[in-house]
């Protein structure tokens, strides 16, 4: 690719019953045209996170085919994804 990829990590706390696949599908659906992909890299459970909860972490990859992304574009796409995760599955940013 001609233009660079930008990676951002996203760690959220969700109910234990929500699968990584559900989260991945939601991220992909809400990421828009700038989201090139997302990859699960960690699932963590502990007493500090809470009973019946888990932390799930992803690397999000953003890229445009026709220009170098700006910080505003990346932040906008990230915030849209996070807003959807909060409203649709009750996720909290870790």
């Amino acid at each position: 690719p001609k233009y660079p990829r930008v990676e951002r990590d996203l760690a959220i706390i969700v109910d234990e019953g929500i699968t990584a696949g559900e989260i991945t599908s939601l991220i992909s659906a809400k990421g828009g045209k700038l989201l090139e992909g997302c990859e699960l890299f960690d699932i963590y459970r502990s007493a500090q996170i809470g009973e019946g909860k888990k932390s799930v972490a992803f690397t999000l990859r953003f890229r445009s085919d026709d220009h170098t992304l700006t910080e505003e574009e990346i932040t906008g796409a990230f915030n849209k994804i996070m807003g959807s995760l909060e409203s649709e599955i009750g996720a909290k940013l870790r």
Side-chain angles (χ1 to χ4, degrees), residues 3 15 23 30 36 48 50-51 67 73:
Y3 297 98
D15 290 335
I23 299 167
K30 301 300 180 178
E36 184 178 68
Q48 290 109 351
E51 179 97 16
H67 67 282
E73 288 174 308

Side-chain angles (χ1 to χ4, degrees), residues 4 6 8 34 62 64 67-77:
V6 177
R8 292 279 171 94
L34 299 181
F62 298 95
S64 174
H67 67 282
T68 299
L69 295 174
T70 65
E71 183 64 32
E72 293 78 23
E73 288 174 308
I74 298 161
T75 300

Side-chain angles (χ1 to χ4, degrees), residues 11-42:
I12 55 174
I13 297 173
V14 296
D15 290 335
E16 187 68 48
I18 297 172
T19 67
E22 290 173 292
I23 299 167
T24 300
S25 293
L26 186 56
I27 290 170
S28 296
K30 301 300 180 178
K33 63 180 182 171
L34 299 181
L35 183 67
E36 184 178 68
C38 70
E39 182 178 331
L40 173 69
F41 70 85
D42 188 44

Side-chain angles (χ1 to χ4, degrees), residues 71-84:
E71 183 64 32
E72 293 78 23
E73 288 174 308
I74 298 161
T75 300
F78 186 91
N79 289 342
K80 182 177 177 185
I81 291 167
M82 191 59 219
S84 295

Side-chain angles (χ1 to χ4, degrees), residues 8-12 27 56-60 78 81-82 85 93:
R8 292 279 171 94
D9 288 344
L10 169 67
I12 55 174
I27 290 170
V56 186
F58 295 86
T59 296
L60 307 180
F78 186 91
I81 291 167
M82 191 59 219
L85 292 169
L93 192 60

